[in-house]
Amino acid sequence: MINLVLFGPPGAGKGTQSEKLIQKYGFVHISTGDLFRWHTKNDTALGKRVKEIMNSGALVPDEITIAMLKEELDKNPQAKGFLFDGFPRTVPQAEALDKFMKDNGSAIHHIVALDVSEDEVRARIAKRRTIENRVDDEEEKLNKRITEYFSKTIHVLPYYKNQGRLDTVQGIGVIEDIFKNICAVLDK
Ligand code: AMP
């Protein structure tokens, strides 16, 4: 059983790589963004609490996010391994995740950051914009999410790096090559 945290800014190709990794390793995919979207779509009590925050592109408070994550872990006791996508985004979230894993006699075995600079991400998105017809407030939200990543989420990386647990994989290039490089980390 291996558990993986995959980091990367919006537009880094995290979704594509996650799909390929799930297919190869059989991970249970835990995407806190998807979970929050499910709650808002189904208008649950949690969904009502986070809707406005999500619409602004800001981060949902740790307390809410960590409780939702814990619930999701408890729903999957038989998981072969988890791929955490979009979580943790803050140091308290990273600490909570380590604790949950430890309590279950497990651990986060690999932390992989897809390395794509803010300039590159913004350039990719600008290119995409010329192809797709995007709504303005979607653009705003995306901008905010990129800013959140480079101003907040990126500060989680030193938490892992200082413990010698972080692997960085170049996120620019051919999808298959990037995938191979991530697999090399997982298989070592
Ligand atoms: P994502 O699809 O991962 O970019 O997440 C979409 C939105 O859900 C984010 O912009 C946040 O509002 C919220 N969200 C998802 N994961 C987290 C997290 N780990 N901590 C706080 N907010 C989150």
Side-chain angles (χ1 to χ4, degrees):
M1 168 168 175
I2 52 171
N3 298 311
L4 164 70
V5 171
L6 188 60
F7 282 105
K14 196 157 50 83
T16 308
Q17 296 298 334
S18 292
E19 271 175 36
K20 293 172 77 64
L21 290 164
I22 290 159
Q23 215 172 20
K24 178 165 177 185
Y25 295 93
F27 290 118
V28 170
H29 185 210
I30 298 196
S31 155
T32 42
D34 285 352
L35 290 169
F36 281 133
R37 275 184 287 278
W38 184 89
H39 279 282
T40 53
K41 197 171 151 219
N42 290 282
D43 210 23
T44 66
L46 175 60
K48 287 189 177 86
R49 281 179 82 187
V50 302
K51 195 172 179 174
E52 285 303 307
I53 303 170
M54 283 186 75
N55 277 342
S56 75
L59 292 185
V60 174
D62 282 342
E63 180 202 322
I64 299 175
T65 308
I66 291 168
M68 180 181 72
L69 191 274
K70 172 82 167 74
E71 204 177 292
E72 206 54 30
L73 287 178
D74 292 344
K75 273 189 210 159
N76 290 283
Q78 309 298 339
K80 248 178 86 188
F82 292 103
L83 189 166
F84 296 95
D85 173 356
F87 186 97
R89 270 171 151 104
T90 64
V91 172
Q93 290 182 14
E95 288 169 345
L97 184 58
D98 276 339
K99 183 180 181 303
F100 294 152
M101 291 289 124
K102 203 173 165 200
D103 290 348
N104 287 336
S106 189
I108 296 293
H109 303 93
H110 297 285
I111 297 109
V112 174
L114 283 178
D115 190 18
V116 184
S117 72
E118 184 165 0
D119 285 350
E120 172 69 21
V121 164
R122 292 199 187 274
R124 277 187 193 183
I125 286 164
K127 196 170 163 193
R128 206 184 288 170
R129 199 182 300 148
T130 61
I131 305 167
E132 295 168 17
N133 199 9
R134 300 197 72 110
V135 193
D136 272 356
D137 70 332
E138 284 299 316
E139 279 285 314
E140 264 305 300
K141 218 195 288 182
L142 189 56
N143 273 328
K144 172 85 177 165
R145 285 170 59 215
I146 294 170
T147 304
E148 285 282 344
Y149 183 85
F150 287 100
S151 67
K152 292 196 183 146
T153 306
I154 209 145
H155 297 301
V156 181
L157 300 184
Y159 169 83
Y160 292 116
K161 196 172 179 193
N162 293 339
Q163 299 174 30
R165 299 166 68 197
L166 181 69
D167 281 291
T168 301
V169 170
Q170 175 63 259
I172 299 171
V174 180
I175 289 173
E176 276 310 318
D177 291 344
I178 299 168
F179 181 60
K180 270 190 216 138
N181 291 336
I182 300 174
C183 293
V185 170
L186 302 196
D187 297 339
K188 76 183 172 193

